[in-house]
């Protein structure tokens, strides 16, 4: 659970995975309960790059990046597929 999307900024959420080796795949979705719209994560807008929602993972964090106010998406979830070191 990564909570609400940010307003034109980055949001960093600790993923809590120890011994993370490689991210194989990352995916998710965000939901706007006011408009009942579900948005895939990451999201690439064909109309305006500022509408994109980037999804990145570091050794200890999930990072959501928005170029415009996406805080109306009050719920978001990210699934990580990964390998661990021994």
């Amino acid at each position: 659970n990564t909570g609400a999307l940010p307003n034109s900024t980055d949001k960093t959420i600790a993923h809590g995975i120890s011994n993370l080796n490689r991210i194989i795949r990352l995916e998710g979705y965000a939901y706007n309960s006011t408009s009942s719209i579900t948005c895939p994560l990451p999201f690439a807008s064909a109309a305006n790059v500022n509408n994109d929602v980037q999804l990145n993972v570091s050794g200890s964090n999930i990072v959501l990046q928005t170029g415009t106010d996406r805080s109306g998406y009050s719920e978001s979830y990210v699934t990580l597929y990964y390998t661990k070191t021994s």
Side-chain angles (χ1 to χ4, degrees), residues 1 5 10 12-13 20 22 32 35 39-41 44 52 56-57 59-60 64-66 69 71 73 77 79 86:
N1 181 346
L5 294 183
D10 297 356
T12 302
I13 306 101
L20 178 65
R22 297 275 190 266
N32 184 320
S35 60
C39 175
L41 297 177
D52 291 357
N56 301 294
V57 178
S60 56
L64 294 164
Q65 299 172 307
T66 62
D69 184 2
S71 60
Y73 288 86
Y77 297 87
T79 302
S86 47

Short mmCIF file of all heavy atoms in Angstrom, two decimals, residues 1 5 10 12-13 20 22 32 35 39-41 44 52 56-57 59-60 64-66 69 71 73 77 79 86:
data_model
loop_
_atom_site.label_atom_id
_atom_site.label_comp_id
_atom_site.label_asym_id
_atom_site.label_seq_id
_atom_site.Cartn_x
_atom_site.Cartn_y
_atom_site.Cartn_z
N ASN A 1 0.86 -1.17 0.00
CA ASN A 1 0.00 0.00 0.00
C ASN A 1 0.90 1.23 0.00
O ASN A 1 1.66 1.44 0.94
CB ASN A 1 -0.90 -0.04 1.22
CG ASN A 1 -1.86 1.12 1.29
OD1 ASN A 1 -1.71 2.12 0.59
ND2 ASN A 1 -2.84 0.99 2.14
N LEU A 5 -1.26 9.35 -4.26
CA LEU A 5 -0.21 9.83 -5.15
C LEU A 5 0.14 11.27 -4.76
O LEU A 5 -0.69 11.99 -4.22
CB LEU A 5 -0.68 9.77 -6.61
CG LEU A 5 -0.91 8.39 -7.21
CD1 LEU A 5 -1.29 8.52 -8.68
CD2 LEU A 5 0.29 7.49 -7.04
N ASP A 10 7.90 14.02 -5.74
CA ASP A 10 8.26 12.62 -5.49
C ASP A 10 7.71 12.19 -4.15
O ASP A 10 7.65 12.99 -3.22
CB ASP A 10 9.78 12.43 -5.44
CG ASP A 10 10.47 12.76 -6.74
OD1 ASP A 10 9.77 13.07 -7.74
OD2 ASP A 10 11.70 12.70 -6.78
N THR A 12 8.40 8.96 -1.47
CA THR A 12 9.26 7.82 -1.19
C THR A 12 8.64 6.97 -0.08
O THR A 12 8.28 7.51 0.97
CB THR A 12 10.67 8.31 -0.76
OG1 THR A 12 11.20 9.11 -1.81
CG2 THR A 12 11.59 7.15 -0.48
N ILE A 13 8.53 5.67 -0.33
CA ILE A 13 7.94 4.73 0.62
C ILE A 13 8.93 3.59 0.81
O ILE A 13 9.33 2.94 -0.16
CB ILE A 13 6.60 4.16 0.10
CG1 ILE A 13 5.63 5.29 -0.26
CG2 ILE A 13 5.97 3.22 1.11
CD1 ILE A 13 5.54 5.56 -1.72
N LEU A 20 17.68 -7.42 -0.89
CA LEU A 20 17.15 -7.26 -2.24
C LEU A 20 18.29 -7.36 -3.24
O LEU A 20 19.32 -6.70 -3.10
CB LEU A 20 16.46 -5.88 -2.37
CG LEU A 20 15.89 -5.54 -3.73
CD1 LEU A 20 14.74 -6.47 -4.08
CD2 LEU A 20 15.42 -4.10 -3.74
N ARG A 22 17.64 -8.13 -7.20
CA ARG A 22 17.18 -7.56 -8.47
C ARG A 22 15.65 -7.40 -8.46
O ARG A 22 14.94 -8.27 -7.98
CB ARG A 22 17.52 -8.48 -9.65
CG ARG A 22 18.97 -8.70 -9.90
CD ARG A 22 19.53 -7.58 -10.76
NE ARG A 22 20.86 -7.89 -11.20
CZ ARG A 22 21.97 -7.51 -10.58
NH1 ARG A 22 21.89 -6.81 -9.47
NH2 ARG A 22 23.16 -7.83 -11.05
N ASN A 32 -8.90 6.76 -7.91
CA ASN A 32 -9.51 8.03 -7.55
C ASN A 32 -10.97 7.75 -7.22
O ASN A 32 -11.77 7.47 -8.12
CB ASN A 32 -9.39 9.02 -8.71
CG ASN A 32 -9.90 10.39 -8.37
OD1 ASN A 32 -10.93 10.54 -7.71
ND2 ASN A 32 -9.20 11.41 -8.83
N SER A 35 -13.81 10.19 -8.87
CA SER A 35 -14.18 9.98 -10.27
C SER A 35 -14.30 8.50 -10.63
O SER A 35 -14.63 8.17 -11.77
CB SER A 35 -13.15 10.64 -11.18
OG SER A 35 -11.87 10.07 -10.95
N CYS A 39 -5.99 4.02 -12.45
CA CYS A 39 -4.87 4.36 -13.30
C CYS A 39 -3.76 3.33 -13.09
O CYS A 39 -3.40 3.05 -11.94
CB CYS A 39 -4.37 5.76 -12.92
SG CYS A 39 -2.90 6.31 -13.75
N PRO A 40 -3.22 2.74 -14.16
CA PRO A 40 -2.12 1.79 -13.98
C PRO A 40 -0.85 2.52 -13.56
O PRO A 40 -0.66 3.70 -13.87
CB PRO A 40 -1.95 1.17 -15.36
CG PRO A 40 -2.43 2.22 -16.30
CD PRO A 40 -3.53 2.94 -15.58
N LEU A 41 -0.01 1.84 -12.84
CA LEU A 41 1.30 2.38 -12.45
C LEU A 41 2.38 1.46 -12.97
O LEU A 41 2.28 0.25 -12.79
CB LEU A 41 1.43 2.49 -10.94
CG LEU A 41 0.46 3.45 -10.25
CD1 LEU A 41 0.65 3.40 -8.75
CD2 LEU A 41 0.62 4.87 -10.76
N ALA A 44 1.96 6.32 -18.49
CA ALA A 44 2.51 7.22 -19.51
C ALA A 44 1.35 7.82 -20.28
O ALA A 44 0.56 7.11 -20.88
CB ALA A 44 3.44 6.48 -20.45
N ASP A 52 2.24 11.99 -16.62
CA ASP A 52 2.88 10.70 -16.34
C ASP A 52 3.01 10.48 -14.83
O ASP A 52 3.14 11.41 -14.05
CB ASP A 52 4.29 10.65 -16.94
CG ASP A 52 4.30 10.60 -18.45
OD1 ASP A 52 3.21 10.54 -19.06
OD2 ASP A 52 5.40 10.62 -19.01
N ASN A 56 9.59 3.93 -9.57
CA ASN A 56 10.97 3.47 -9.49
C ASN A 56 11.20 2.75 -8.17
O ASN A 56 10.49 2.99 -7.19
CB ASN A 56 11.94 4.67 -9.56
CG ASN A 56 11.78 5.44 -10.85
OD1 ASN A 56 12.06 4.93 -11.91
ND2 ASN A 56 11.30 6.67 -10.75
N VAL A 57 12.23 1.91 -8.14
CA VAL A 57 12.58 1.20 -6.92
C VAL A 57 14.08 1.29 -6.71
O VAL A 57 14.86 1.08 -7.64
CB VAL A 57 12.17 -0.29 -6.99
CG1 VAL A 57 12.59 -1.02 -5.73
CG2 VAL A 57 10.67 -0.41 -7.18
N GLY A 59 17.28 0.35 -3.60
CA GLY A 59 17.58 -0.74 -2.66
C GLY A 59 16.68 -0.79 -1.45
O GLY A 59 16.47 -1.84 -0.87
N SER A 60 16.10 0.35 -1.07
CA SER A 60 15.27 0.37 0.13
C SER A 60 13.91 1.06 -0.03
O SER A 60 13.11 1.03 0.89
CB SER A 60 16.03 1.04 1.28
OG SER A 60 16.44 2.33 0.90
N LEU A 64 7.41 7.14 -6.16
CA LEU A 64 6.37 7.57 -7.08
C LEU A 64 6.65 9.02 -7.44
O LEU A 64 6.88 9.85 -6.55
CB LEU A 64 4.99 7.46 -6.42
CG LEU A 64 4.51 6.05 -6.11
CD1 LEU A 64 3.35 6.10 -5.14
CD2 LEU A 64 4.12 5.35 -7.39
N GLN A 65 6.65 9.34 -8.74
CA GLN A 65 6.94 10.70 -9.20
C GLN A 65 5.81 11.18 -10.10
O GLN A 65 5.41 10.46 -11.02
CB GLN A 65 8.25 10.74 -9.99
CG GLN A 65 9.45 10.31 -9.18
CD GLN A 65 10.68 10.19 -10.06
OE1 GLN A 65 10.66 9.52 -11.07
NE2 GLN A 65 11.75 10.85 -9.65
N THR A 66 5.30 12.39 -9.82
CA THR A 66 4.25 12.97 -10.64
C THR A 66 4.66 14.37 -11.09
O THR A 66 5.35 15.08 -10.36
CB THR A 66 2.91 13.06 -9.88
OG1 THR A 66 3.07 13.92 -8.75
CG2 THR A 66 2.43 11.68 -9.43
N ASP A 69 -0.61 17.51 -10.17
CA ASP A 69 -1.28 17.09 -8.94
C ASP A 69 -2.07 15.81 -9.19
O ASP A 69 -3.05 15.80 -9.93
CB ASP A 69 -2.21 18.19 -8.44
CG ASP A 69 -2.87 17.86 -7.11
OD1 ASP A 69 -2.59 16.79 -6.54
OD2 ASP A 69 -3.66 18.69 -6.63
N SER A 71 -2.93 13.93 -6.35
CA SER A 71 -3.34 13.57 -4.99
C SER A 71 -4.80 13.13 -4.90
O SER A 71 -5.20 12.54 -3.90
CB SER A 71 -3.07 14.72 -4.04
OG SER A 71 -3.78 15.89 -4.43
N TYR A 73 -5.91 10.77 -6.45
CA TYR A 73 -5.79 9.31 -6.41
C TYR A 73 -5.37 8.97 -4.99
O TYR A 73 -4.19 8.89 -4.66
CB TYR A 73 -4.78 8.82 -7.44
CG TYR A 73 -5.29 8.93 -8.85
CD1 TYR A 73 -5.15 10.11 -9.57
CD2 TYR A 73 -5.93 7.86 -9.46
CE1 TYR A 73 -5.63 10.22 -10.86
CE2 TYR A 73 -6.42 7.96 -10.76
CZ TYR A 73 -6.26 9.14 -11.44
OH TYR A 73 -6.76 9.24 -12.73
N TYR A 77 -1.34 1.11 -4.94
CA TYR A 77 -0.71 -0.14 -4.52
C TYR A 77 0.35 -0.51 -5.54
O TYR A 77 0.14 -0.34 -6.74
CB TYR A 77 -1.74 -1.27 -4.42
CG TYR A 77 -2.79 -0.99 -3.36
CD1 TYR A 77 -3.93 -0.26 -3.67
CD2 TYR A 77 -2.60 -1.44 -2.06
CE1 TYR A 77 -4.87 0.02 -2.69
CE2 TYR A 77 -3.55 -1.16 -1.08
CZ TYR A 77 -4.68 -0.44 -1.40
OH TYR A 77 -5.60 -0.16 -0.43
N THR A 79 3.16 -3.69 -6.58
CA THR A 79 3.63 -5.05 -6.39
C THR A 79 5.03 -5.16 -6.98
O THR A 79 5.24 -4.75 -8.11
CB THR A 79 2.70 -6.07 -7.10
OG1 THR A 79 1.38 -5.91 -6.56
CG2 THR A 79 3.17 -7.49 -6.87
N SER A 86 21.72 -14.28 -1.11
CA SER A 86 21.71 -15.34 -0.08
C SER A 86 22.20 -14.84 1.26
O SER A 86 22.70 -13.78 1.43
CB SER A 86 22.55 -16.51 -0.53
OG SER A 86 23.79 -16.09 -1.02
#
